[in-house]
Amino acid sequence: YFYALDEVTGKLLWKFKADEFTGGATVGEPEGTVYVGSGKKMLHAYFLNGTKSFEFKTKAQVCSTPALDGSGIYFGDDGGDFYKLDRASGKKVWKTRFPSGIRSPARLESDGIFLSIGDPDNSKSGEIVRLGYDGDVHWRSDCGGKTRSKCFSCWTAPAIVGDVAIAGCGLDSSGEGAIWGLDKETGAVRWKVKVDNDCQTSSPVVVGDAVLIGCIDGVLRAIGASDGAVRWTFKAGKGIWATSALDTDGTVYIGSHDGYLYALE
């Protein structure tokens, strides 16, 4: 089920049933609509009163959180298709095909769309990608292509800091991971932070000229965007799969598989 709750009381307002919901939901405030993908192989669009706006059928389950701009809805599916739908009608504008599943939320920048792709179970590889708003691929980075795994599997939304695109990737089955800093214009590797476990589920969060990203080794890292220098680390009791949240006062909140929610300065 997908649930809508009253933000003041926590009481149930409405719900609808589909298969598993893995990705997050995105609200389009002007049209009063919430967008979410599901294991039913659909992107669902529901008005905030619980009535259905539309459902768009895909060939594979939709686990990526939709991204919105003024005209479009952008998301990927586990079959490797990345879509732009018309935000007003729900009709397909274009589709671009990739060789691996797309669980990454798209990062919409003024000069392009950035996302990551990956398959941790079969090909055990992944890439980081930049597209134009017409769906054409500007570059697909294999992070140097020195191994069959390429960048490792990547499921997180890249962060853009200046001229660097940053994403975490990894393979939990083999205890390998890396945080990559790529040239925004070419996709070439600028730097790499090697990690002893998977970093593919925690999206990097921008804080000034650095990013925060957690990994399954249980470490939250603050990394300088320009040079990849690790500025500080925080070690939780178990792995960090979640994305950090920032308060306006500078507090960093992060959850861990040890069962704790941490607040950091």
Side-chain angles (χ1 to χ4, degrees):
Y1 284 94
F2 180 85
Y3 298 93
L5 309 179
D6 185 285
E7 67 177 345
V8 176
T9 66
K11 291 183 178 179
L12 178 67
L13 298 175
W14 52 267
K15 65 182 180 179
F16 74 89
K17 188 174 184 179
D19 290 340
E20 181 178 358
F21 292 94
T22 300
T26 304
V27 174
E29 294 285 358
E31 66 271 40
T33 302
V34 59
Y35 304 94
V36 65
S38 78
K40 199 176 179 180
K41 302 179 182 179
M42 285 184 177
L43 180 81
H44 309 269
Y46 274 70
F47 293 116
L48 299 183
N49 63 7
T51 60
K52 186 191 300 182
S53 173
F54 69 83
E55 290 178 322
F56 181 84
K57 182 69 175 173
T58 61
K59 293 182 179 179
Q61 64 178 349
V62 178
C63 299
S64 71
T65 302
L68 306 176
D69 67 8
S71 64
I73 308 163
Y74 303 84
F75 67 97
D77 69 21
D78 276 12
D81 287 326
F82 184 75
Y83 296 90
K84 176 183 178 179
L85 307 185
D86 181 80
R87 189 164 165 178
S89 67
K91 303 295 185 183
K92 183 178 74 175
V93 178
W94 49 256
K95 177 179 73 173
T96 302
R97 178 78 173 173
F98 293 100
S100 297
I102 303 166
R103 294 197 169 189
S104 162
R107 184 77 65 189
L108 306 183
E109 296 288 318
S110 60
D111 54 357
I113 303 168
F114 296 81
L115 59 101
S116 56
I117 66 175
D119 179 358
D121 298 318
N122 295 313
S123 69
K124 297 185 178 181
S125 67
E127 298 172 276
I128 302 164
V129 180
R130 178 180 175 178
L131 300 88
Y133 281 91
D134 56 2
D136 288 346
V137 176
H138 288 194
W139 50 256
R140 276 175 49 190
S141 177
D142 62 3
C143 299
K146 294 182 179 179
T147 69
R148 176 176 174 270
S149 297
K150 301 179 182 178
C151 304
F152 305 119
S153 181
C154 311
W155 283 357
T156 61
I160 308 302
V161 185
D163 61 354
V164 183
I166 302 164
C169 307
L171 296 171
D172 55 5
S173 59
S174 56
E176 297 177 275
I179 302 160
W180 300 97
L182 306 182
D183 187 280
K184 179 182 171 183
E185 298 304 320
T186 67
V189 175
R190 296 266 289 269
W191 51 260
K192 172 187 177 183
V193 176
K194 187 179 184 300
V195 180
D196 291 332
N197 216 318
D198 185 359
C199 298
Q200 72 171 326
T201 60
S202 174
S203 289
V205 174
V206 178
V207 184
D209 62 350
V211 297
L212 302 177
I213 184 168
C215 299
I216 296 178
D217 62 359
V219 179
L220 179 70
R221 294 170 174 83
I223 299 173
S226 62
D227 57 5
V230 178
R231 297 182 178 177
W232 57 258
T233 62
F234 171 79
K235 176 70 172 176
K238 289 187 178 179
I240 296 174
W241 296 63
T243 297
S244 303
L246 302 179
D247 202 344
T248 54
D249 64 1
T251 304
V252 178
Y253 298 94
I254 189 69
S256 165
H257 272 209
D258 62 8
Y260 286 95
L261 175 68
Y262 296 92
L264 311 177
E265 287 188 336

